[in-house]
């Protein structure tokens, strides 16, 4: 029964996280129709986590006896989470997605490099892990996939969305680095508490960045698309999505849950096509295959071990 319930939850999580890339673009608007948050992308991300952080904090207060971080290590974990996992990741991502050349599928594929980057950072920063030649090849292969997807023009690196896609790559790198640093701190705090405080802290940091960029609430055009996108991102993709993620993490483990990142681009492409008339390109598909192949090389031992356990499991 548990196994039959796990697959629908996995696909549900991939669907809501994949379609979140479409929701970001829908909420941002476009240069030709600059409704919504087109002029205020960081403020958009900040308001998203104002709402999501309050919801997650409410859940943490319900689920935990003491949701308040205790000690230097737990507050350091929250600091890393707020700065890298929430603020840097979403600020770079939302700014990157303001470019029409960055489709929902392209953004999702670049972000899917995050698990491979996490492994690379871990092998470089954690003393008990080392990067083998095959692992290094996997990391390089993933980076090549992003270069293929970015398709930079040597004559003008600021055209064709190359700069915007580089921002999305920085978002993935920020998330990967944050993941490794929280593991290195190893505070052992409940994930519900860590996520709640990180979301609230990250929202506060993004409000500061938005003010520094000159983004003001008065600039926002509160269109229906913007309101629906904000509600979807805050409640469904963030609050509900992380609750499903926590559940699946306990059931599947870190390696298998990473595969959500590689199913999400499919839903990003489908939702982008259905709602925004985006058409994935051949470079998007090739970039995805290279990124996924790099992940398999990096995680080959863990994937083999997981497949062996699956084959050895009793049927029924």
């Amino acid at each position: 029964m548990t196994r039959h319930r796990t697959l629908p939850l996995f696909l549900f999580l991939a669907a809501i996280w994949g379609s979140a890339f479409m929701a970001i673009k829908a909420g941002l608007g476009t240069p030709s129709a600059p409704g919504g948050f087109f002029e205020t992308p960081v403020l958009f991300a900040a308001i998203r986590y104002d709402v999501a952080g309050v919801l997650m904090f409410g859940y943490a207060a319900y689920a935990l006896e003491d949701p308040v971080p205790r000690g230097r290590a737990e507050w350091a974990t929250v600091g890393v989470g707020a700065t890298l996992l929430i603020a840097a990741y979403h600020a770079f991502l939302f700014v990157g997605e303001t470019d029409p050349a960055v489709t929902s599928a392209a953004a999702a594929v670049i972000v899917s490099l995050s698990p491979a980057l996490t492994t690379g950072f871990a092998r470089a920063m954690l003393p008990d892990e080392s990067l083998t030649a095959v692992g290094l090849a996997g990391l390089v292969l993933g980076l090549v996939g992003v270069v293929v997807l970015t398709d930079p023009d040597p004559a003008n690196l600021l055209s064709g969305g190359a700069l915007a896609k580089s921002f999305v790559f920085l978002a993935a790198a920020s998330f990967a680095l944050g993941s490794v640093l929280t593991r290195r701190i190893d505070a052992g705090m409940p994930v519900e508490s860590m996520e709640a405080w990180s979301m609230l802290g990250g929202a506060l940091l993004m409000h500061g960045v938005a003010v520094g960029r000159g983004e003001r609430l008065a600039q926002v055009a509160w269109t229906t698309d913007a309101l629906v996108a904000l509600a979807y991102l805050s409640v469904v993709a963030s609050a509900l999505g992380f609750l499903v993620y926590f559940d699946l993490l306990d059931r599947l483990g870190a390696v298998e849950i990473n595969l959500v990142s590689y199913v999400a681009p499919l839903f990003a492409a489908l939702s982008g096509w259905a709602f925004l008339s985006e058409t994935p390109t051949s470079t998007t598909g090739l970039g995805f295959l290279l990124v996924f192949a790099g992940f398999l090389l990096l995680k080959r031992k863990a994937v083999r071990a997981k497949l062996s356990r699956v084959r050895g499991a009793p049927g029924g």
Side-chain angles (χ1 to χ4, degrees), residues 12-41:
F12 174 72
L13 182 61
I16 61 176
W17 278 3
S19 57
F21 293 95
M22 175 278 299
I24 292 170
K25 290 197 73 70
L28 287 169
T30 63
S32 58
F37 292 87
F38 178 75
E39 297 180 354
T40 58

Side-chain angles (χ1 to χ4, degrees), residues 42-115:
V42 180
L43 181 61
F44 185 14
I47 296 174
R48 170 188 179 178
Y49 278 98
D50 288 335
V51 178
V54 169
L55 292 174
M56 184 59 70
F57 186 81
Y59 176 75
Y62 166 78
L64 304 172
E65 292 185 5
D66 182 11
V68 179
R70 304 294 179 184
R72 183 178 301 176
E74 291 194 359
W75 281 112
T77 299
V78 170
V80 170
T83 303
L84 292 174
L85 299 180
I86 302 297
Y89 171 71
H90 290 91
F92 282 127
L93 176 62
F94 278 55
V95 171
E97 284 209 56
T98 58
D99 193 313
V102 182
T103 63
S104 306
V109 170
I110 296 173
V111 169
S112 72
L113 182 64
S114 184

Side-chain angles (χ1 to χ4, degrees), residues 7-276:
L7 179 59
L9 279 177
F10 181 92
L11 293 175
F12 174 72
L13 182 61
I16 61 176
W17 278 3
S19 57
F21 293 95
M22 175 278 299
I24 292 170
K25 290 197 73 70
L28 287 169
T30 63
S32 58
F37 292 87
F38 178 75
E39 297 180 354
T40 58
V42 180
L43 181 61
F44 185 14
I47 296 174
R48 170 188 179 178
Y49 278 98
D50 288 335
V51 178
V54 169
L55 292 174
M56 184 59 70
F57 186 81
Y59 176 75
Y62 166 78
L64 304 172
E65 292 185 5
D66 182 11
V68 179
R70 304 294 179 184
R72 183 178 301 176
E74 291 194 359
W75 281 112
T77 299
V78 170
V80 170
T83 303
L84 292 174
L85 299 180
I86 302 297
Y89 171 71
H90 290 91
F92 282 127
L93 176 62
F94 278 55
V95 171
E97 284 209 56
T98 58
D99 193 313
V102 182
T103 63
S104 306
V109 170
I110 296 173
V111 169
S112 72
L113 182 64
S114 184
L117 289 174
T118 299
T119 302
F121 281 130
R123 302 285 168 89
M125 299 177 64
L126 298 178
D128 58 339
E129 301 190 40
S130 59
L131 195 62
T132 64
V134 176
L136 180 61
L139 182 59
V140 171
L141 191 61
L143 293 172
V144 169
V146 172
V147 172
V148 169
L149 183 61
T150 304
D151 193 22
D153 179 2
N156 187 357
L157 289 176
L158 300 183
S159 68
L163 181 61
K165 291 173 185 175
S166 297
F167 281 134
V168 180
F169 173 77
L170 287 174
S174 298
F175 193 90
L177 179 59
S179 299
V180 172
L181 289 176
T182 54
R183 283 171 54 190
R184 184 166 183 168
I185 296 170
D186 193 21
M189 68 184 301
V191 288
E192 297 91 345
S193 176
M194 190 272 282
E195 288 290 347
W197 287 93
S198 295
M199 286 179 179
L200 293 172
L204 183 61
L205 288 172
M206 286 188 287
H207 277 294
V209 172
V211 170
R213 283 171 47 90
E215 299 181 10
R216 299 292 185 269
L217 197 60
Q219 297 171 264
V220 179
W222 293 100
T223 62
T224 301
D225 285 350
L227 290 170
V228 171
L230 180 61
Y232 181 81
L233 290 168
S234 302
V235 179
V236 180
S238 296
L240 179 59
F242 275 108
L243 293 179
V244 175
Y245 174 83
F246 296 148
D247 185 25
L248 289 175
L249 183 62
D250 288 338
R251 299 183 192 201
L252 301 176
V255 173
E256 200 165 343
I257 196 62
N258 273 338
L259 295 177
V260 168
S261 298
Y262 300 99
V263 181
L266 171 62
F267 290 99
L270 289 173
S271 60
W273 169 76
F275 292 97
L276 303 177

